Amino acid sequence: MFADVTDNNTELLSLVAAGNEKAYRKLFHLYADLLHTYIQHLTKSNELAEEIVQDIFLQIWTTRETLGNIHNFRNYLFVISRNHALNIIKKMVRENKKRKLWEYNEELLATHPPENQERQLSLIEEAIAQLPPQQQKVWIMSRQQGMKYNEIATATGLSRETVKKYLQYGTQSIINYVTKHKDLLLILLLFIKKKFPT
């Protein structure tokens, strides 16, 4: 793919490392189109490929002092471009999942008028009240106060594994309590709210 670009750009890279903008533009023109083709093949998106090429060359310019340590610029360019593209793709997938969950949560809340939500919250409170004291404490600290396992362990004097087990037991007890009251939709709301706390 890069047959028309020489592997040895030592002099050009040295000039870029020294802050020579003309050399930087030459480096960009040598590799930008070929790099764009490579990234577009990975991402299946022309727009995303353009954005990544710009990001990569901006990174090259801002870290130009390190270019003298690179022995094979072509390989270096491929590696950082591939990693950057994969990170962006993973981020997009995560954001898409979050967006879909958020939209689903909004749809569920829209179908539940405020008076039903109050009844559901009351049912959760009843379920929490049924828990053994330590499970109840751990569940509230995690789900309502947003504390992490290690923080709860420190605050309660329990081990991290015990905190994790108490949280699992507590959650299962709440689900069982809610299920007995035939309100399965509340289970969905309970766990969506966990991911998107208000």
Side-chain angles (χ1 to χ4, degrees):
M1 181 183 283
F2 283 93
D4 57 332
V5 180
T6 60
D7 287 338
N8 187 1
N9 287 302
T10 307
E11 185 179 349
L12 186 61
L13 293 176
S14 296
L15 289 170
V16 175
N20 186 311
E21 293 183 17
K22 185 177 179 181
Y24 172 73
R25 284 194 296 272
K26 183 175 180 181
L27 190 69
F28 178 84
H29 289 301
L30 273 175
Y31 289 99
D33 289 342
L34 297 170
L35 186 58
H36 181 278
T37 301
Y38 173 64
I39 298 299
Q40 187 175 15
H41 177 73
L42 286 177
T43 63
K44 313 300 182 193
S45 166
N46 182 58
E47 184 178 323
L48 194 55
E50 288 179 6
E51 182 182 325
I52 291 172
V53 169
Q54 293 297 326
D55 287 349
I56 293 300
F57 275 95
L58 177 61
Q59 179 183 334
I60 287 168
W61 180 251
T62 55
T63 60
R64 59 188 177 276
E65 295 85 2
T66 64
L67 289 175
N69 300 324
I70 297 168
H71 301 294
N72 190 323
F73 182 72
R74 181 177 70 182
N75 288 350
Y76 168 78
L77 197 58
F78 263 104
V79 170
I80 64 171
S81 300
R82 183 189 65 227
N83 291 343
H84 189 57
L86 293 177
N87 286 338
I88 286 180
I89 290 168
K90 287 176 186 174
K91 183 180 177 185
M92 288 172 68
V93 168
R94 285 194 304 268
E95 288 175 352
N96 190 44
K97 284 182 180 177
K98 286 181 181 178
R99 181 181 56 79
K100 286 181 178 178
L101 277 172
W102 181 259
E103 287 173 356
Y104 184 59
N105 187 33
E106 289 294 304
E107 185 180 329
L108 284 175
L109 291 174
T111 61
H112 268 291
E115 58 272 17
N116 284 346
Q117 290 178 32
E118 285 179 22
R119 181 180 65 79
Q120 292 166 348
L121 290 174
S122 174
L123 189 56
I124 290 177
E125 292 301 323
E126 289 174 23
I128 294 170
Q130 303 294 317
L131 297 174
Q134 280 285 55
Q135 284 185 29
Q136 184 183 116
K137 187 175 184 180
V138 167
W139 200 92
I140 290 171
M141 293 172 91
S142 173
R143 295 298 189 256
Q144 294 182 349
Q145 297 173 11
M147 294 175 68
K148 297 177 180 175
Y149 290 161
N150 291 339
E151 294 171 334
I152 297 171
T154 301
T156 60
L158 300 169
S159 71
R160 188 181 185 280
E161 280 306 307
T162 302
V163 167
K164 187 176 178 181
K165 285 180 183 176
Y166 278 178
L167 185 57
Q168 290 170 346
Y169 295 154
T171 300
Q172 190 57 54
S173 294
I174 292 171
I175 290 172
N176 291 342
Y177 186 89
V178 170
T179 303
K180 285 178 185 175
H181 289 77
K182 308 290 191 233
D183 203 338
L184 297 177
L185 181 59
L186 180 58
I187 296 173
L188 292 174
L189 287 171
L190 179 66
F191 284 100
I192 291 172
K193 282 180 175 294
K194 172 188 162 187
K195 290 182 177 297
F196 298 98
T198 55

